[in-house]
Amino acid sequence: MDVKPQMKQAIFLVWLLMVPAGLWFTYNNYPPNISVNWLDLLAFLLLTSIVAAVPIVINNMFIFLIQWVALATFLRFGLFAEIIFAQIAVVVLLLKLRILRKGELFRLPLNLNMFFLVSFISGIIYYILGGQTGPNLTHDPRSLWLAVLYVVLNYLLNQIMVSFNLFFIYKIKKSFFGKDFFVETVTTLITLPIGFVLYILFNQVGLIGLLFVGIPFVSLSIIFNLYYSSEKINEYLQKASEIGHQMAERLYVDDVLDLFIQKLSEMLPVDYSYILEADGEVLKLIRRMEAGLVMPNESLSLKKNEGICGMVWSKQKALLFTSRKEWQQYSTDNIPNDVESILGVPIMRSKKLIGVLVLASKRKRAYEKSQLMIIDILCSHFAVAIENANNFEQTKRQSERCALTNLFNYRYFETLLTEEFEKVAKFERKILSLIILDIDHFKQVNDTYGHQSGNEILRELAGRLRKLVGCRGTVARYGGEEFVVLLPDMSKVEAYQMAEQIREMVSNWPFTLQQSLELGNNQQKIMITASIGVATAPEDAEDSLALIRHADRALYVGAKRAGRNRVAEYSSC
């Protein structure tokens, strides 16, 4: 809800011009009873402040139940005292809700203006219609009925002012008869009799009447808030359990990281969030989110006791800072300048720290100690999910990769080829080319230099192929000394050109052997060649097996039989 700076300035100006002048007008035209006992006034002011400081919270909506005290104050002491008390109550409430932060200070004069107008207009109408204030209204039925009218006017004006502020200041189109209207109506109906009871009891028994009415009401508000707090914690626990189950279902580390940091940002007031991983003697940033978006990771590493993250690592305890003044002296973590509240939590697994979570908010006192337990539970779920995802990825790599060359193996390649061929069949991909490479006379290399040297050649060739092909295709070890390169959306002409580059790369650059069988040679360079076959679908094949078979035929018929160290493309002729 962004409000333009000009509007904020206008709100301050309206308060400055309207409220002091309105108070002066009220005091001079409808003066308070000068015989009022100042102790009574202070008692009502105290009760007003206490009630304002304990609003009832239901479903994240704060219910400001000050109407009953305001009604008793108005009837007993007059409009001037009620306006003053209402202004004080607004300040107490906003301080309690902790919403008066930088950029939001305009909300104080905005609410002061609204409460002033509601009290002033309804009070003036009450007086114009002949209503009186003081201790003897119980003997004047007309004034009591006018008091009911005063409450109704107060209620209607409050609804109109709220709608006006939402529509013209916050630019929010909201139904007049929404949830707020219903809540305000119910609370008015409930508190109207309480206000009259307080007025009558105070006139009958004095200050003790405030205790008879005020203590049960304030106690009820506190009980409601405690109940709501327990309900909120239960809700957090339920969400933590759901998030834990969702993380357990993720098989990849990146998916777990993204889900964890996203759900935290949805559950708590988070403007910035960071996950750092313990890597040896340093913490390294592995995930960063700002304004709900995952951002590229910065090159950030911290040691123990370095910055807030280093302190969390060293102490292995959560740290909570409610304002910038508290943490600024410790921070070397590149925390943004607009951050106020910070929550740092260690991520533990088997009593060992594996990382640190940092949540940051632009609001002061955004996090509570009760939330630490929830975050700690979530971090435990996260640690288990990360470990499981790491194990899955490692197992998957081992099942898909050749242990010698670290290229994809035959099993992975066949699955990928089938998937890519299905895309060709569905016209999701126009063309699919395949290169098969076989090292010439590889058995002689093994016999001459040893199988260990042969393995060195295979590893080096794998590295060269990965570098040359890059992201244009997938390189796999097909078996023995054979390699394949799958090239989606690459024509036969382009595939042939790449195959020729591969052939020249193999034949023109010597391979280094570290463990040759030849005595006296710790390092030796040898030259080898390769024969290559190329086929393309759908031009050369109607299914994946045919594509492999035809590329293999081009390799052995067109390249091997023709003299080796050459590239051949499949031809049906």
Side-chain angles (χ1 to χ4, degrees), residues 104-138:
E104 298 291 322
L105 292 177
F106 76 95
R107 297 178 67 173
L108 176 59
L110 177 64
N111 283 277
L112 291 176
N113 290 340
M114 183 180 74
F115 275 80
F116 171 78
L117 285 173
V118 169
S119 298
F120 182 80
I121 295 174
S122 54
I124 293 297
I125 292 175
Y126 174 83
Y127 284 130
I128 290 174
L129 294 176
Q132 301 294 321
T133 57
N136 301 314
L137 297 187
T138 52

Side-chain angles (χ1 to χ4, degrees), residues 325-336:
K325 292 180 180 179
E326 295 180 8
W327 60 262
Q328 194 169 17
Q329 57 182 320
Y330 306 113
S331 175
T332 56
D333 312 23
N334 298 330
I335 300 294

Side-chain angles (χ1 to χ4, degrees), residues 305-333:
N305 292 311
E306 185 178 0
I308 295 171
C309 298
M311 290 171 60
V312 173
W313 185 11
S314 175
K315 297 180 179 180
Q316 296 192 4
K317 290 171 54 179
L319 295 179
L320 174 61
F321 300 98
T322 59
S323 67
R324 186 176 183 83
K325 292 180 180 179
E326 295 180 8
W327 60 262
Q328 194 169 17
Q329 57 182 320
Y330 306 113
S331 175
T332 56
D333 312 23

Side-chain angles (χ1 to χ4, degrees), residues 358-542:
V358 175
L359 304 178
S361 173
K362 299 176 183 178
R363 290 168 43 190
K364 291 184 178 180
R365 297 177 291 277
Y367 307 116
E368 302 172 2
K369 289 184 179 180
S370 60
Q371 294 169 339
L372 287 176
M373 177 187 66
I374 310 300
I375 301 302
D376 188 56
I377 293 172
L378 276 173
C379 285
S380 298
H381 285 301
F382 172 72
V384 173
I386 283 290
E387 183 178 9
N388 292 340
N390 275 321
N391 292 336
F392 172 81
E393 289 186 355
Q394 183 178 357
T395 304
K396 190 171 185 290
R397 281 194 298 269
Q398 291 173 350
S399 67
E400 294 178 344
R401 297 278 179 175
C402 164
L404 176 65
T405 63
N406 201 34
L407 294 176
F408 290 113
N409 57 24
Y410 173 80
R411 181 190 303 169
Y412 176 86
F413 170 75
E414 277 203 326
T415 303
L416 179 63
L417 179 60
T418 302
E419 293 173 356
E420 290 292 338
F421 217 95
E422 288 177 356
K423 293 180 181 179
V424 173
K426 295 177 181 177
F427 303 102
E428 296 176 3
R429 205 178 287 288
K430 293 182 179 179
I431 200 166
L432 183 65
S433 293
L434 177 67
I435 295 174
I436 294 184
L437 174 151
D438 184 83
I439 300 175
D440 296 329
H441 305 297
F442 189 67
K443 184 177 183 300
Q444 294 180 13
V445 174
N446 282 332
D447 292 343
T448 304
Y449 302 101
H451 287 279
Q452 190 65 32
S453 295
N455 289 342
E456 290 183 38
I457 290 174
L458 293 175
R459 282 195 294 267
E460 186 173 344
L461 178 56
R464 293 187 186 185
L465 287 172
R466 270 197 305 264
K467 187 175 181 181
L468 191 149
V469 174
C471 60
R472 292 178 291 177
T474 302
V475 183
R477 186 183 179 192
Y478 198 60
E481 65 271 24
E482 282 190 331
F483 296 82
V484 289
V485 182
L486 191 61
L487 301 165
D489 290 330
M490 185 175 286
S491 67
K492 183 184 282 189
V493 173
E494 294 171 321
Y496 187 93
Q497 292 173 350
M498 176 176 284
E500 186 62 35
Q501 291 175 356
I502 292 172
R503 186 196 66 79
E504 292 178 356
M505 175 265 292
V506 174
S507 61
N508 294 343
W509 297 92
F511 286 74
T512 302
L513 303 181
Q514 302 290 342
Q515 300 182 32
S516 172
L517 288 177
E518 296 187 5
L519 299 175
N521 247 336
N522 293 328
Q523 189 180 86
Q524 187 170 351
K525 294 183 181 296
I526 66 168
M527 305 295 293
I528 65 172
T529 61
S531 298
I532 304 175
V534 179
T536 302
E539 178 183 342
D540 298 330
E542 296 180 352

